[in-house]
Amino acid sequence: MGEQESTRTVFICETFWRLVSLVIIVAMVVVGSVYVHDCPIQYMIPVYLIVYGIFLLLPTFTARHKKAGEDPPDVLQSPGQCCFQGIVGCFLLVWFIGGTSWVYPAFPVVDLTNTTSPNYCQPVLYNFAFTITTATWVVTGLGLLASIFYLGFTLMRGDQNQYSDV
């Protein structure tokens, strides 16, 4: 496979995963909005999905994405954009932890069938919020694990990868 084919394949994969992510994020906002009043056990669950989805969209629309065949854009485009994305990232972290504290405690007692129960939550809403929250924790854990393995592998290799003045 040539370098140009490889670059094209990477571009297609990146585009595919961005589209999948966009669909999931838009679904968060839609599901939270449609069922905003249908979760008396924890009224913040639909709000969590709506706000989390909107704030996940902000970096998507403010970041500069490279085009096929273009060199990667500079990571630090402007101090203002970096500051904005840093603030949004910090907010998303705090909001995700809050969402976890709203979704998981309801799990043992949530009633997905009796709409008149004080423990009721619309099944699509609750199951979607639970799945998104769990998937985020799993991906975060796998990323952390991969980072630890990479760091360990790098430290074990020592100076083998250093450039020399030859």
Side-chain angles (χ1 to χ4, degrees):
M1 184 185 303
E3 186 177 330
Q4 192 173 23
E5 285 182 45
S6 177
T7 303
R8 182 169 164 72
T9 303
V10 168
F11 177 75
I12 290 170
C13 288
E14 284 178 352
T15 303
F16 173 76
W17 285 113
R18 285 185 186 176
L19 287 174
V20 168
S21 297
L22 184 63
V23 167
I24 292 170
I25 292 168
V26 169
M28 290 170 71
V29 175
V30 170
V31 168
S33 299
V34 168
Y35 301 114
V36 71
H37 299 293
D38 295 338
C39 193
I41 190 170
Q42 181 48 265
Y43 73 94
M44 286 302 291
I45 291 175
V47 175
Y48 157 64
L49 286 177
I50 294 167
V51 173
Y52 198 49
I54 289 171
F55 274 82
L56 282 172
L57 284 173
L58 286 177
T60 303
F61 289 123
T62 59
R64 180 181 175 273
H65 301 293
K66 67 178 183 174
K67 298 176 182 139
E70 180 184 22
D71 289 333
D74 292 334
V75 175
L76 303 176
Q77 293 179 12
S78 73
Q81 187 174 13
C82 287
C83 183
F84 173 75
Q85 289 187 353
I87 291 169
V88 169
C90 289
F91 174 79
L92 284 170
L93 175 65
V94 170
W95 191 254
F96 175 70
I97 292 169
T100 299
S101 73
W102 297 315
V103 172
Y104 286 154
F107 183 76
V109 293
V110 68
D111 183 351
L112 301 175
T113 55
N114 183 3
T115 58
T116 59
S117 169
N119 291 340
Y120 175 75
C121 192
Q122 206 288 332
V124 171
L125 170 67
Y126 186 78
N127 290 330
F128 186 73
F130 187 87
T131 301
I132 290 295
T133 304
T134 303
T136 303
W137 277 114
V138 167
V139 169
T140 301
L142 290 174
L144 183 60
L145 192 62
S147 298
I148 291 169
F149 279 127
Y150 179 76
L151 178 63
F153 177 73
T154 304
L155 291 174
M156 285 185 352
R157 286 182 60 196
D159 291 332
Q160 295 174 4
N161 203 17
Q162 296 294 322
Y163 294 103
S164 62
D165 295 321
V166 177

